[in-house]
Amino acid sequence: MLKPMDSSTPGGLRAARARPAAAPAASPATSPRPVSPRAPARSMYLLHHLLEPNAGYRRLAAWLEARPRLRRLFTAAEKGVKQEIFGCRMCGQCTLPSTGYACPMTCPKQLRNGPCGGVGADGCCEVYPEMRCVWLEAVERAESQGRPGDLLRLQLPIDHRLWGQSSWIRYWQGRDEDLWTDAARSGTRQ
Ligand code: SF4
Ligand code: SF4
């Protein structure tokens, strides 16, 4: 059984000081709070079709990646747009298309596979009762567009080294293809 660290002894203090920081340097400093998206689900699904990877986007993504300054500018623009609409926290591996365009990284527990057990009877968040659970938003938005099956996908753990990176560049280069399994592979039925 693990014993609690005793920092009152010289050895314990050294070990406590040697502990790694709680979060990777690139992760956001602010704690997540549920955000209700500011754009209708329908328009987001339509926009998704316009942004689907193709040869042109792939070339653009590769071109940007080869130019660090432009890539930083592009990433800042992506952050500005997505923060305003979804409360994006730049996890770098965007799952919006499979969550009704409600960002699960704004859930205080950062749950990417559905809500916790504490959603209030009125739909409020357990951690911030004055706010709506972001997963309730996801369900309502996906259902409103006839896509409730999207929420049955199993979201795989994300790579926390990618915080702060552009998920659009990754998406256009086909690097986000294993972010989730389809419903069949996850053992669920649509
Ligand atoms: S990139 Fe991550 S944090 Fe940003 S909207 Fe997509 S899932 Fe949310
Ligand atoms: S109720 Fe739970 S799942 Fe919903 S946003 Fe709050 S912490 Fe996340």
Side-chain angles (χ1 to χ4, degrees):
M1 197 171 110
L2 287 175
K3 291 182 184 167
M5 182 76 66
D6 180 6
S7 61
S8 62
T9 64
L13 188 59
R14 266 196 307 277
R17 281 182 180 151
R19 277 186 224 155
S27 67
T30 54
S31 18
R33 297 169 80 94
V35 169
S36 298
R38 294 200 175 88
R42 181 176 159 71
S43 56
M44 291 299 97
Y45 283 108
L46 288 174
L47 186 63
H48 180 80
H49 289 302
L50 294 177
L51 293 175
E52 268 174 5
N54 58 34
Y57 284 137
R58 266 192 296 278
R59 271 200 299 276
L60 172 64
W63 186 79
L64 286 167
E65 265 200 330
R67 290 161 181 79
R69 194 160 171 270
L70 285 178
R71 188 185 62 202
R72 278 197 298 277
L73 285 173
F74 182 85
T75 304
E78 175 181 335
K79 181 179 178 181
V81 170
K82 287 168 67 176
Q83 218 167 39
E84 182 62 26
I85 301 177
F86 310 109
C88 173
R89 303 179 65 245
M90 294 297 280
C91 73
Q93 297 134 99
C94 197
T95 190
L96 286 175
S98 69
T99 55
Y101 286 87
C103 172
M105 303 310 278
T106 68
C107 158
K109 300 176 188 177
Q110 300 187 69
L111 300 177
R112 282 171 82 104
N113 276 298
C116 69
V119 187
D122 60 354
C124 70
C125 171
E126 179 183 34
V127 182
Y128 296 106
E130 70 279 18
M131 295 173 173
R132 280 193 104 209
C133 169
V134 70
W135 274 102
L136 191 60
E137 296 279 352
V139 169
E140 287 178 355
R141 289 165 66 88
E143 282 183 345
S144 76
Q145 300 305 308
R147 303 184 63 101
D150 289 354
L151 302 171
L152 297 177
R153 293 166 174 162
L154 178 65
Q155 302 285 331
L156 301 178
I158 61 169
D159 183 344
H160 287 275
R161 293 169 297 183
L162 300 179
W163 278 94
Q165 293 192 17
S166 163
S167 62
W168 283 343
I169 289 178
R170 289 180 51 77
Y171 172 59
W172 287 333
Q173 295 200 315
R175 295 185 195 141
D176 274 357
E177 282 167 7
D178 57 355
L179 277 184
W180 53 75
T181 67
D182 57 34
R185 277 178 61 201
S186 66
T188 54
R189 284 180 297 166
Q190 299 222 33

